């Protein structure tokens, strides 16, 4: 894409009320646009990153046999009243229409997914069933803060699984956890799994996936030697205690952000919707339900919190808006201009996802924008560039290499 065509522009200042690093950088670089507290529009650069994150979790979900849906987000009030969540869930947005009919905006989708599963899962042979979606959620959060990490409208991947037996549920629970670890790691994040009580969903055990960051809202204690980790809010363990799991190290305390979680919902929802299946003996049974949330937009915010420096964002390659930033510094040199234009066409033809800064600006301005936007590699075409020697800069650490034009077209900018 030509940067001269990109309708968004970088800006020097973020809105004064945005204090979080993720919102400041994402707004300044033109990834998101703030509509009001807790509500952001995602602009072309932002959509590219969010789509990459969604692609990563989608691949993991498909690999564990889950099937993608797009559930409604404007909900009838009836299922919410049936489960008691209409009055029980404080963050639920309720809407009254002009004909005085009541609706809810989806804050989670058990009330939609369970009746759908009920219609199709009639026998134990139809189970397990795992259905998910990637989409918008709406929550009347009291305080929208930390930029895109806590919104009133936000993105989530939510998976609902239905099982004939507790054993099968336990098996799948571990399968999803492994898929989550892989997905967060591919997003450039180290996630730790805490054990926590199920909160408003159930009293059963749940796991929260936490990434250490001062921009988070949770306090956790964790062990450096093993993977043990607990949320301070619910755990009896404290900083300095010997790890209860490995007994090797004392626990450390840190701020963290919850990027995903998994719940054992038991039979609560099937009971509310009178959803039974016929087991192998011909008996009617309630299935066991699992609910697995993955915050796609919060993950994007946490990535920015973790991968940024004084000059801007430093996207991990897996989620970067473009693979490479081609910067034209040919100035008035028409031969060099032809050279960079040809390189751009050839990169596109080679299938490279490239942002081409073809704007008529000074080098300093182009580099400042490039650093702020944070594409992992920058190819610079200036007066000194020759087909045998083109400068490639790695955003992460500023490492510079000289690469030939042919090598670049074979993807050798990737070092
Ligand atoms: P939190 O304790 O942070 O409010 P939650 O327990 O309400 O999270 P879930 O309802 O299980 O979270 O949602 C699943 C995932 O969706 C969370 O792990 C988080 O990544 C994301 N999420 C939840 N609320 C928000 C929000 N207001 N803005 C952005 N992402 C959110
Ligand atoms: Mg919440």
């Amino acid at each position: 894409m030509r940067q001269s065509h990109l309708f968004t522009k970088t800006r020097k200042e973020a809105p004064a009320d945005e204090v979080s690093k993720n919102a400041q950088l994402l707004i300044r670089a033109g990834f998101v646009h703030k509509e009001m507290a807790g509500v952001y529009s995602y602009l072309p650069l932002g959509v590219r990153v969010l789509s990459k994150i969604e692609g990563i979790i989608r691949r993991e979900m498909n690999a564990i046999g889950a099937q993608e849906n797009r559930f409604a987000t404007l909900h009838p009030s009836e299922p919410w009243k049936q489960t008691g969540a209409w009055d029980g869930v404080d963050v639920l947005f309720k809407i009254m229409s002009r004909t005085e009919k009541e609706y809810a905006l989806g804050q989670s989708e058990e009330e939609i997914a369970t009746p759908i599963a009920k219609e199709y899962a009639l026998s134990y042979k139809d189970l397990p069933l795992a259905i998910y979606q990637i989409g918008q959620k709406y929550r009347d959060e009291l305080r929208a803060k930390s930029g895109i990490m806590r919104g009133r409208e936000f993105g989530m991947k939510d998976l609902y699984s239905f099982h004939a037996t507790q054993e099968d549920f336990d098996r799948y629970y571990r399968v999803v956890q492994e898929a989550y670890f892989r997905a967060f790691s591919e997003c450039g994040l180290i996630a730790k799994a805490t054990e926590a009580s199920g909160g408003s969903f159930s009293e059963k055990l749940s796991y929260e996936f936490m990434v250490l960051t001062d921009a988070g809202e949770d306090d956790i204690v964790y062990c450096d030697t093993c993977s043990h980790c607990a949320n301070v809010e619910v755990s009896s363990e404290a900083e300095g205690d010997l790890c209860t799991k490995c007994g090797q190290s004392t626990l450390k305390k840190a701020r963290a952000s919850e990027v995903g979680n998994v719940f054992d919902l038991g039979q609560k929802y099937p009971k509310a919707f009178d959803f039974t299946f016929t087991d192998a003996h011909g008996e009617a049974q309630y299935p066991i339900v699992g609910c697995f949330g993955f915050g796609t937009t919060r993950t994007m915010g946490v990535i920015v919190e973790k991968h940024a420096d004084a000059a801007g964002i430093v996207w991990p390659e897996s989620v970067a808006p473009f693979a490479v930033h081609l910067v034209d510094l040919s100035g008035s040199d028409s031969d060099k201009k032809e050279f960079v234009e040809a390189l751009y066409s050839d990169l596109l033809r080679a299938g490279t996802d490239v942002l081409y800064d073809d704007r008529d600006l000074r080098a300093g301005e182009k580099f400042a924008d490039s650093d702020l936007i944070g594409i992992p590699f920058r190819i610079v075409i200036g007066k000194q560039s020759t087909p045998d020697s083109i400068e490639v800069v790695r955003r992460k650490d500023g490492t510079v290499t000289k690469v030939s034009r042919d090598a670049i077209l074979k993807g050798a900018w990737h070092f």
Side-chain angles (χ1 to χ4, degrees), residues 40 79 133 169 233 258 271 406:
Y40 297 85
Q133 70 165 348
F169 171 86
E233 207 179 285
E258 182 199 310
K271 282 182 174 163
D406 288 351

Side-chain angles (χ1 to χ4, degrees), residues 314-326:
V314 185
W315 293 108
E317 288 178 51
S318 56
V319 298
F322 290 90
V324 64
H325 202 170
L326 175 63

